[in-house]
């Protein structure tokens, strides 16, 4: 995650598929925003399917539905957090992680 220009890496937030990893990262980003008491923030992600599920544009099934329930519970009532899809080349957190852990 990148917040205020600073990359934060959360380790051991869960296991699963690449889509599980995307969901867990989105949930961790929202948790970080809540801990820092941010009021005006946008969650960015490069996994189009996860972003579509999180914003209600696509139905979440199976493990994704469970992740969505956690995300919605953390988001709470009221205005939903702003979530936007970005291309992988614009994903600063992904770029920072790739530099730390090259394949």
């Amino acid at each position: 995650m990148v917040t205020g220009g600073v990359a934060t890496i959360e380790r051991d937030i869960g296991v699963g598929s690449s889509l599980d990893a995307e969901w867990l990262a989105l949930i961790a980003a929202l948790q970080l925003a809540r801990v820092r008491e941010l009021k005006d923030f946008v969650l960015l992600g490069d996994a189009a399917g996860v972003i579509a599920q999180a914003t209600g544009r696509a139905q979440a099934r199976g493990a994704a539905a469970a992740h969505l329930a956690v995300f919605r519970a953390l988001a709470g009532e009221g205005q939903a957090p702003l979530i936007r899809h970005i291309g992988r080349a614009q994903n600063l957190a992904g770029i920072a992680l790739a530099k730390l852990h090259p394949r």
Side-chain angles (χ1 to χ4, degrees):
M1 295 170 284
V2 176
T3 307
V6 177
T8 302
I9 296 175
E10 293 287 333
R11 299 188 190 284
D12 301 321
I13 62 172
V15 297
S17 69
S18 61
L19 289 180
D20 289 319
E22 295 289 349
W23 265 111
L24 293 170
L26 187 63
I27 291 166
L30 182 54
Q31 288 172 328
L32 181 61
R34 295 294 188 234
V35 166
R36 293 189 177 181
E37 299 180 348
L38 300 177
K39 303 295 182 214
D40 185 25
F41 61 92
V42 179
L43 300 173
L44 304 173
D46 62 18
V50 171
I51 299 303
Q53 291 169 349
T55 57
R57 293 190 318 266
Q59 185 174 4
R61 295 189 174 110
H67 293 310
L68 179 59
V70 171
F71 182 80
R72 286 183 174 163
L74 183 59
E77 294 187 22
Q79 185 173 352
L82 295 175
I83 307 168
R84 192 176 68 159
H85 176 259
I86 59 171
R88 192 159 304 264
Q90 287 77 44
N91 184 343
L92 298 178
I95 293 167
L97 183 59
K99 288 182 179 180
L100 289 173
H101 299 284
R103 291 182 179 201

